Amino acid sequence: MRDQGQSNGSKVGFSSQSVPLHSFRQSSGQQNVQPPRTFNAYSTKGKQCNVHPCRFKHGCSAYGGQHPAYFSDEKTISPTTRLTFLGVEIDTSDMTLRLPSDKLDELLKKISFVLKCKKVTLRELQSLLGSLNFPCRVVAPGRAFCRRLIDSTIGLNKPHYRIRITSNIKADLLMWKSFLKNFNGLTLMPDRLWTSNEALEFYTDSAGRTTLGFGIYFKGRWAHGLWPRTWHKRSLLSNITFLELFPVMVAIILWGSELRNKKVLFHIDNEEAVHIINKKSSKSSDVMILVRRLVLETLHHNILIKADHVPGHELQSTVWIMGSSIPHWAGITAASRSGGKNLNLDRLGVQVKWITKSGMKWKDLDSSFESEI
């Protein structure tokens, strides 16, 4: 039994629903104690859910003394697996959270109104913020796109003050509008525990040279691509944070449906990328384009993502290249180039090992492999 509201700030605890209120009065030494207003009772057993509330109500009425507890029937809810709390319908049977459609329709209208305006009053923007906070109870990543709206109200105290709707604010609101148009208000409760990208066999990486690009691996499937030439002209290839985030966004677009309702923990060796993934925000307008699309995809698939920084030297791994003549001469050629036999992968904590032999046959493969182990 847990109390959720006291008029005088006192805390009331019960070891069971049958403990009467007067026992608290006697132990506290107070004669006039205002009883708590709201209680939530929890039990995992069906019979207890039915018996305990009745026992508690009887105990409060019979032993209340001069201050018996009265229960309002219209505010009393019997044991149930579906409960509406603070406007959100919680279903513990289907493990879902639902928002009322009328609230979502009202929010879309407010967003559309603000998008049409160059300036709005402080009162209008605060009203929109209040409405945006409501769906954030169910779709938590959306909170990141309320930050710019909140920042624009700092220092203002007159309701009639007018606030300029900047391009960044409009971009955040367009993200909200795009999501809400296809959102039916129903969300499955995500996994209780976070799952690392290693456990999911989910890896991304990028290289910042004009002739290189990015790569993604997910459970035996992979994707890769070269950087567009236009990015070199815009100096995007020198922004390593942008390049690190790009394959993460592409991976969620490609395989987000298979990560639905999961909490994914990425281990990344770029501190700035870790900070941006966790905060869902960046001062760079180019990076924010990626962040908005990334968050929109996670909202569609009900995915929660966060990142931990892992120093590069802790990401040490070894790549074996085994074969006959072609890999053998490839290793010799690599040794004569700037990247060396390690193919310039030292910065990523990767060591390349060449296990080659001219004329190697299939029957020699197993013995070569076992000798290295």
Side-chain angles (χ1 to χ4, degrees):
M1 181 63 64
R2 184 175 66 186
D3 168 39
Q4 283 201 331
Q6 301 89 257
S7 60
N8 64 353
S10 62
K11 294 186 180 295
V12 184
F14 296 90
S15 59
S16 68
Q17 286 83 344
S18 60
V19 177
L21 285 176
H22 78 275
S23 63
F24 167 74
R25 294 195 181 95
Q26 292 175 353
S27 62
S28 63
Q30 300 181 32
Q31 296 301 320
N32 296 315
V33 178
Q34 187 71 17
R37 295 192 301 272
T38 306
F39 290 97
N40 287 338
Y42 307 92
S43 179
T44 58
K45 298 180 180 180
K47 292 183 179 180
Q48 291 181 358
C49 281
N50 291 320
V51 172
H52 285 175
C54 297
R55 186 183 301 168
F56 174 66
K57 290 173 67 175
H58 174 74
C60 291
S61 301
Y63 300 103
Q66 296 179 353
H67 302 280
Y70 297 98
F71 292 85
S72 175
D73 291 335
E74 62 270 17
K75 294 182 180 180
T76 302
I77 301 175
S78 300
T80 180
T81 59
R82 182 179 297 175
L83 176 70
T84 300
F85 184 69
L86 298 177
V88 179
E89 182 184 281
I90 305 170
D91 192 324
T92 57
S93 179
D94 294 335
M95 298 299 287
T96 59
L97 303 171
R98 183 186 294 275
L99 298 174
S101 58
D102 57 330
K103 294 286 186 181
L104 297 177
D105 292 340
E106 180 185 352
L107 175 56
L108 270 173
K109 290 179 181 178
K110 288 184 178 181
I111 292 175
S112 299
F113 169 76
V114 173
L115 285 172
K116 294 177 182 178
C117 300
K118 292 184 178 179
K119 291 184 178 181
V120 295
T121 64
L122 175 61
R123 179 185 287 110
E124 290 169 336
L125 196 57
Q126 287 174 334
S127 175
L128 175 60
L129 278 168
S131 298
L132 284 173
N133 279 328
F134 181 66
C136 286
R137 297 172 183 173
V138 173
V139 284
R143 293 188 185 277
F145 297 101
C146 296
R147 186 175 295 114
R148 285 182 175 79
L149 279 77
I150 295 172
D151 291 345
S152 66
T153 66
I154 294 175
L156 304 180
N157 50 25
K158 301 292 184 181
H160 62 273
Y161 280 178
R162 300 185 69 80
I163 301 171
R164 183 178 300 277
I165 304 301
T166 64
S167 58
N168 285 327
I169 290 177
K170 283 189 175 182
D172 289 345
L173 292 178
L174 285 171
M175 193 282 302
W176 269 112
K177 187 175 182 179
S178 176
F179 168 67
L180 292 172
K181 275 186 174 180
N182 302 306
F183 182 52
N184 62 1
L186 183 66
T187 301
L188 286 172
M189 296 182 190
D191 290 350
R192 187 172 62 90
L193 301 176
W194 289 89
T195 306
S196 69
N197 62 292
E198 292 90 351
L200 293 169
E201 299 180 49
F202 187 18
Y203 302 92
T204 64
D205 200 5
S206 60
R209 295 186 180 180
T210 55
T211 57
L212 300 177
F214 67 94
I216 308 167
Y217 178 88
F218 180 63
K219 293 184 177 179
R221 289 164 289 177
W222 54 271
H224 72 95
L226 298 175
W227 303 127
R229 293 182 178 179
T230 54
W231 286 13
H232 176 64
K233 296 178 181 179
R234 293 175 56 192
S235 300
L236 285 177
L237 298 186
S238 62
N239 188 342
I240 190 62
T241 303
F242 180 91
L243 301 182
E244 290 281 357
L245 287 174
F246 183 79
V248 176
M249 180 201 71
V250 173
I252 297 296
I253 293 174
L254 290 176
W255 295 301
S257 59
E258 298 184 39
L259 299 171
R260 189 180 299 274
N261 306 318
K262 289 191 176 296
K263 294 180 177 179
V264 183
L265 172 63
F266 286 94
H267 291 120
I268 300 177
D269 61 346
N270 184 296
E271 289 189 73
E272 184 63 21
V274 170
H275 176 77
I276 291 172
I277 288 177
N278 291 335
K279 295 294 184 181
K280 310 295 188 298
S281 182
S282 171
K283 294 181 180 179
S284 169
S285 57
D286 291 321
V287 172
M288 278 307 300
I289 294 174
L290 300 183
V291 171
R292 290 189 182 98
R293 181 61 190 276
L294 174 63
V295 172
L296 183 60
E297 292 297 325
T298 59
L299 289 174
H300 282 319
H301 299 297
N302 194 31
I303 304 170
L304 296 180
I305 63 173
K306 69 177 182 179
D308 279 347
H309 177 252
V310 180
H313 62 83
E314 292 187 15
L315 294 175
Q316 185 71 34
S317 58
T318 302
V319 175
W320 287 6
I321 299 179
M322 302 182 68
S324 56
S325 299
I326 294 177
H328 176 74
W329 290 107
I332 295 175
T333 304
S336 64
R337 295 186 176 179
S338 59
K341 296 191 71 173
N342 214 51
L343 304 179
N344 200 29
L345 295 176
D346 307 75
R347 64 184 184 86
L348 300 178
V350 176
Q351 179 185 4
V352 178
K353 188 168 186 177
W354 299 81
I355 307 171
T356 62
K357 178 183 178 182
S358 295
M360 179 184 289
K361 306 293 184 181
W362 277 109
K363 63 181 180 179
D364 303 323
L365 186 62
D366 288 342
S367 58
S368 300
F369 183 79
E370 290 175 358
S371 65
E372 293 296 331
I373 295 178

